[in-house]
Amino acid sequence: GEDVEQSLFLSVREGDSSVINCTYTDSSSTYLYWYKQEPGAGLQLLTYIFSNMDMKQDQRLTVLLNKKDKHLSLRIADTQTGDSAIYFCAESIPSGTYKYIFGTGTRLKVLA
Amino acid sequence: GAVVSQHPSWVICKSGTSVKIECRSLDFQATTMFWYRQFPKQSLMLMATSNEGSKATYEQGVEKDKFLINHASLTLSTLTVTSAHPEDSSFYICSASNRDEAKNIQYFGAGTRLSVL
């Protein structure tokens, strides 16, 4: 079945790196995404990776994809207090409408 | 680019009334729009998918007569919560996607908080 799991909570000190993990079960996903949600707001696309890639770097963000283990991670370098938010991973399923399956969300708290 | 506007951001209504939420893609053509519901401290739950000019596809357990979705143009979709009750109070978020773009990226609105008294 379709299931995307994330750890619920992560706390890091300002300046450290954050690593948010995600595991998924549907191997037919084409793209995987990371979104950020601040309190009371919608979702902001951070980055995405094609399922045939294993790494993508975009400024402070590094995405790693292990397709064999169905594991996706997001590393945020030099984490800042403004990075405090909920982070969702999502996979795009080629089901006709290419709907997303969202992860459970990880609440990142950055301590000054 | 890829801006999605959702309106209103907050609405309070009396039980039994209907509420309409608008979702607009401002700078691209949205061939597909999605409507989600989010409960506090939870992930997003897909309610329905709509393609421009055709009927929406509802997820299992979502009442189509309760949540009316219209996607009449490539830039506008609306969700109407009919005869709203307190249990419909929630955070509703829309997203829009251009199917011509291969990456299937969904761009999200800022959400609408609905409070039914």
Side-chain angles (χ1 to χ4, degrees):
Chain A
E2 304 162 343
D3 201 12
V4 182
E5 296 287 338
Q6 297 178 238
S7 51
L8 289 179
F9 192 79
L10 175 65
S11 178
V12 300
R13 293 200 179 276
E14 193 174 21
D16 288 351
S17 292
S18 307
V19 179
I20 303 171
N21 295 301
C22 172
T23 57
Y24 60 98
T25 55
D26 196 320
S27 57
S28 65
S29 56
T30 52
Y31 284 89
L32 296 112
Y33 313 84
W34 283 103
Y35 284 86
K36 175 184 180 183
Q37 185 180 33
E38 299 191 46
L43 274 67
Q44 173 195 351
L45 176 69
L46 291 177
T47 187
Y48 61 90
I49 187 167
F50 184 47
S51 57
N52 278 355
M53 297 171 63
D54 52 21
M55 188 183 101
K56 180 179 180 181
Q57 185 153 1
D58 184 358
Q59 298 182 329
R60 292 193 296 127
L61 306 178
T62 302
V63 178
L64 296 179
L65 175 60
N66 182 324
K67 199 170 182 181
K68 175 176 169 290
D69 294 339
K70 299 190 183 72
H71 183 264
L72 180 74
S73 69
L74 173 70
R75 179 177 179 270
I76 305 173
D78 187 24
T79 314
Q80 303 296 307
T81 53
D83 295 325
S84 294
I86 301 175
Y87 291 79
F88 291 98
C89 63
E91 53 175 342
S92 173
I93 308 298
S95 62
T97 59
Y98 288 85
K99 65 181 182 181
Y100 281 5
I101 304 299
F102 273 99
T104 45
T106 299
R107 186 178 296 271
L108 173 65
K109 184 172 183 179
V110 182
L111 306 172
Chain B
V3 177
V4 175
S5 172
Q6 188 172 340
H7 178 81
S9 56
W10 193 301
V11 57
I12 301 173
C13 69
K14 291 183 179 179
S15 188
T17 60
S18 294
V19 174
K20 180 184 280 188
I21 302 170
E22 290 189 351
C23 183
R24 293 181 185 271
S25 57
L26 298 186
D27 52 2
F28 68 101
Q29 293 189 327
T31 49
T32 307
M33 287 188 169
F34 302 84
W35 287 94
Y36 295 86
R37 185 172 179 175
Q38 187 178 31
F39 293 100
K41 299 191 190 306
Q42 292 190 27
S43 188
L44 279 73
M45 181 190 79
L46 179 65
M47 299 174 66
T49 303
S50 73
N51 292 303
E52 183 265 338
S54 55
K55 288 184 179 179
T57 301
Y58 290 81
E59 295 296 301
Q60 194 170 8
V62 178
E63 298 176 61
K64 60 180 68 176
D65 294 331
K66 172 77 171 174
F67 299 100
L68 300 178
I69 291 171
N70 183 281
H71 190 168
S73 77
L74 283 170
T75 59
L76 174 65
S77 176
T78 60
L79 166 67
T80 301
V81 182
T82 62
S83 186
H85 288 91
E87 59 265 30
D88 299 323
S89 297
S90 193
F91 192 57
Y92 293 88
I93 309 177
C94 71
S95 71
S97 177
N98 182 351
R99 288 290 305 278
D100 293 334
E101 179 206 65
K103 304 178 192 71
N104 305 319
I105 292 173
Q106 292 183 29
Y107 299 97
F108 285 80
T112 297
R113 185 160 303 283
L114 172 62
S115 297
V116 185
L117 304 178

